[in-house]
Amino acid sequence: MTGIFSQVPLKLLCVALFGLATVAFLTVLLGWHGLRRLLDVPRVPRPRAMYLALGALWIAVVTIGATSVATIVLLRDHRRIDAPTRLGDVRCEAIGSDHVRVELRTSLAAAPERYEGPGDAAACTVWVRQVELRSGLGVLGVRVLSRIESVGPRRLPAAVDGHRFIDLVARRTEAVPVAVPLDAQVHSVLVSSLSGPVLTNGGI
């Protein structure tokens, strides 16, 4: 997978940092006013509308900051899809009468990963997770995330448990099966786009 920071748009990173800083400031401010009221410290009275406005602003900033941070965390395992993006090089070959091996390489620098399974069509299927994000995140430069989730029945390990973060940011998510030809001589490129993942000819 490409490094996380090379995928994070500058606008998204700035919003996340600004959100965290603003949440910290508002939390301290509201906490200070609440503590003074609790301890009955003499103070200049403030209108109730001011506290309601600050509370509403705190909730809004927490929501924006949380979704921005969750998106950045998901980029540890997912690729940001703006245009057709290569997820990996894949091929499937028979290794005996009833077993197959799927070879997956996610980048030129990565060593091939090999997965073996029963010799049926399911073993030569790669499942890709497509996550369409909420429209507000599209403004910040991230519209769709994608990752190879499993090869046949074998689930690929992830750096983070993405499911708890996906609920915060996803408008729609789906797992898409992509059938890999059972042919040791055929190397296919798995490409994901805004419309979904497909196989193309060629290799990394």
Side-chain angles (χ1 to χ4, degrees), residues 114-117 122-123 125 127 148-157:
R114 296 180 175 87
Y115 303 90
E116 298 182 7
T125 299
W127 289 83
I148 299 174
E149 190 167 68
S150 61
V151 176
R154 293 284 299 277
R155 196 176 188 87
L156 272 61

Side-chain angles (χ1 to χ4, degrees), residues 8 13 19-20 30 46-48 53 70 76 82 85-86 97 106 111-112 115 142 162:
V8 178
L13 182 60
L20 292 174
L30 291 171
R46 296 288 190 272
R48 184 181 298 272
R76 292 190 65 184
D82 293 319
T85 302
R86 181 178 297 192
S97 59
T106 54
Y115 303 90
V142 187

Side-chain angles (χ1 to χ4, degrees), residues 92-93 97-102 117-125 152-153 180 182:
C92 187
E93 62 177 332
S97 59
D98 60 351
H99 278 72
V100 297
R101 176 189 293 131
V102 178
D120 54 21
C124 286
T125 299
V180 181
L182 180 56

Side-chain angles (χ1 to χ4, degrees), residues 173-198:
T173 180
E174 63 177 335
V176 182
V178 180
V180 181
L182 180 56
D183 188 335
Q185 304 304 314
V186 175
H187 285 253
S188 301
V189 177
L190 181 57
V191 175
S192 188
S193 67
L194 297 177
S195 59
V198 295

Side-chain angles (χ1 to χ4, degrees), residues 130-154:
Q130 290 279 110
V131 182
E132 180 184 346
L133 302 183
R134 302 184 191 278
S135 56
L137 289 165
V139 176
L140 299 179
V142 187
R143 291 187 289 173
V144 173
L145 301 178
S146 186
R147 74 178 293 259
I148 299 174
E149 190 167 68
S150 61
V151 176
R154 293 284 299 277

